[in-house]
Amino acid sequence: MNRLDIQELGVHMSYPAITIISSCTKEGIQEKFDHLISLVSKKNPEIKHIQLHMHELLEQLVCPVDKTKIALFANKHIVRAYALPCNVADVESVDHYFILDPIATCINRKERYFVLECDPENLAFYEGHDETLIQVMYTKTGYQWKMAQPIGTLQKRICKALSEKACIEEATTEFYQSLDAHLAEYIERDPQPLVIVGDEEHIQQFKKYSKHAPIVCAFEHDFAQVFKRVNGCYKQLYTQAIEKLNSASADVLIDKTANHQAIAQAARQGAVEVLLVERSFHENGCEDIASGALEKKDACSITEVNVDLIDALIESVKSKGGAVLLLPENSLANYNHVVAFTRF
């Protein structure tokens, strides 16, 4: 589950909106769903519609082979199921909106990346969270990731012999234009390292035809080596970040205030391009229910709710299209544990 999924689900608000986060057994999920539906008035006109689509989803649901939890969301607009990359607390909720904050907080604290597998017959797109890879199934653009594609040598089978070269060039160009438009939804709105996996022919095609080739962090022939290459990508990003931090560049924002107010304000304005945070750094705070103002303190009043100020800061940066790098513990101790690189 990625941030684009969360954004899509956040838009579709209506009652009843059912959220289930649990371990994956069809019987257990059906029981939880039936219980939540029973809490909704039988006069609600949306119940049968939601029940029908949830039944269709459960018919097709394949539980992960490991013990990964899954999240299911259902209302009149949308029915979705996702494998989760970390152990989010169980949720059973019926409300006007889906319960998404725990999932967003979870993935914001992961080293994430995207993997595009491009073989002669199929495409597959994955989101990576540390060492966990989850195939992306739902797409905003409607583009199907896993399907036969007439690219490269396969295109010769459908091109006329008299114009084979031109036909291949045209079809390949059109294919990569469509692919680029779809990739942009992910790598521009949720910037993460991108790894391309394929044989040499298709890697060379991607380099030639895709506008995203310059920002790919690694090209790899062997899928089994993906995580090793991702580690290399992140080490390079960390090294570049520390070098920039030590350069005292004008766009490096170091904030010594207790609440990180200067960085938080820049994040709200969309000015933070990259946020550096120590992986295990947290700060307790309170959020005013009415104003949304954040303050560092251990005990909250009745008009406030407990929050992690650093998680809130990370989410603020992410929501504006910024990137976050999670650095080792104490690596930013001299900088109040948080640093921002600004766009303006």
Side-chain angles (χ1 to χ4, degrees):
M1 188 174 187
N2 52 63
R3 291 190 60 83
L4 271 71
D5 297 325
I6 292 172
Q7 291 167 12
E8 181 185 23
L9 290 164
V11 169
H12 295 300
M13 293 187 295
S14 67
Y15 186 86
I18 292 173
T19 304
I20 299 172
I21 299 176
S22 75
S23 55
C24 187
T25 65
K26 288 190 177 183
E27 296 79 9
I29 293 168
Q30 183 68 63
E31 183 178 337
K32 291 178 173 64
F33 175 76
D34 290 343
H35 168 67
L36 293 172
I37 280 290
S38 72
L39 303 178
V40 182
S41 169
K42 293 181 179 180
K43 295 181 180 180
N44 190 298
E46 311 299 343
I47 288 182
K48 289 186 178 179
H49 176 77
I50 296 172
Q51 285 177 316
L52 173 63
H53 288 287
M54 178 61 81
H55 175 76
E56 293 173 348
L57 183 147
L58 290 177
E59 283 283 307
Q60 302 173 32
L61 181 66
V62 177
C63 289
V65 294
D66 55 17
K67 295 183 179 180
T68 302
K69 286 188 177 181
I70 66 166
L72 294 97
F73 305 93
N75 66 9
K76 67 179 182 180
H77 301 293
I78 194 169
V79 177
R80 291 283 192 264
Y82 302 94
L84 296 180
C86 49
N87 189 24
V88 179
D90 285 4
V91 172
E92 294 180 44
S93 170
V94 55
D95 212 315
H96 291 81
Y97 51 85
F98 297 125
I99 307 300
L100 301 168
D101 286 350
I103 299 173
T105 298
C106 155
I107 68 173
N108 284 347
R109 289 281 185 165
K110 294 282 188 180
E111 282 190 339
R112 298 176 54 235
Y113 51 97
F114 293 120
V115 180
L116 175 64
E117 185 179 20
C118 192
D119 66 40
E121 295 185 357
N122 294 291
L123 286 175
F125 189 60
Y126 303 87
E127 54 183 282
H129 306 260
D130 293 335
E131 297 188 48
T132 301
L133 277 177
I134 299 174
Q135 187 171 352
V136 175
M137 302 301 295
Y138 302 114
T139 64
K140 181 178 178 181
T141 62
Y143 197 88
Q144 297 180 23
W145 280 119
K146 196 72 174 177
M147 63 181 181
Q149 289 292 342
I151 57 177
T153 55
L154 288 185
Q155 186 61 40
K156 296 176 183 177
R157 301 176 188 175
I158 61 174
C159 286
K160 296 179 181 179
L162 293 177
S163 57
E164 180 180 313
K165 184 176 180 180
C167 176
I168 293 173
E169 180 74 15
E170 181 180 357
T172 306
T173 300
E174 289 178 356
F175 165 71
Y176 275 99
Q177 287 175 344
S178 297
L179 180 60
D180 278 351
H182 189 64
L183 279 175
E185 286 290 318
Y186 292 86
I187 61 180
E188 292 179 8
R189 293 175 56 193
D190 187 14
Q192 307 295 335
L194 173 64
V195 178
I196 305 298
V197 181
D199 60 27
E200 186 60 26
E201 176 188 8
H202 292 91
I203 284 178
Q204 291 305 318
Q205 283 189 339
F206 191 94
K207 290 180 177 179
K208 178 180 178 180
Y209 293 101
S210 174
K211 70 176 183 180
H212 299 303
I215 59 94
V216 173
C217 79
F219 293 91
E220 178 58 55
H221 299 309
D222 183 0
F223 199 90
Q225 298 299 313
V226 164
F227 188 63
K228 180 179 179 181
R229 299 302 297 269
V230 169
N231 274 338
C233 293
Y234 269 105
K235 285 180 181 178
Q236 183 178 3
L237 290 171
Y238 296 152
T239 300
Q240 292 171 346
I242 296 302
E243 289 175 351
K244 185 170 184 177
L245 179 58
N246 293 334
S247 72
S249 172
D251 58 353
V252 175
L253 177 57
I254 298 170
D255 188 349
K256 295 293 187 178
T257 61
N259 293 357
H260 307 281
Q261 293 105 323
I263 291 179
Q265 181 178 0
R268 288 193 296 270
Q269 294 171 344
V272 176
E273 184 173 25
V274 180
L275 183 73
L276 310 183
V277 179
E278 291 178 9
R279 176 184 286 272
S280 58
F281 182 54
H282 296 267
E283 278 191 333
N284 292 327
C286 301
E287 179 180 5
D288 186 273
I289 297 173
S291 68
L294 300 173
E295 183 178 356
K296 180 181 177 181
K297 55 184 180 179
D298 294 323
C300 301
S301 70
I302 59 173
T303 61
E304 299 172 321
V305 292
N306 289 302
V307 295
D308 184 311
L309 295 177
I310 304 306
D311 283 338
L313 178 57
I314 291 173
E315 177 60 27
S316 181
V317 171
K318 288 280 192 178
S319 68
K320 299 293 195 304
V324 176
L325 287 179
L326 303 171
L327 273 64
E329 187 173 0
N330 292 323
S331 59
L332 299 174
N334 294 332
Y335 305 98
N336 204 19
H337 309 285
V338 179
V339 176
F341 298 158
T342 58
R343 296 186 177 98
F344 52 85

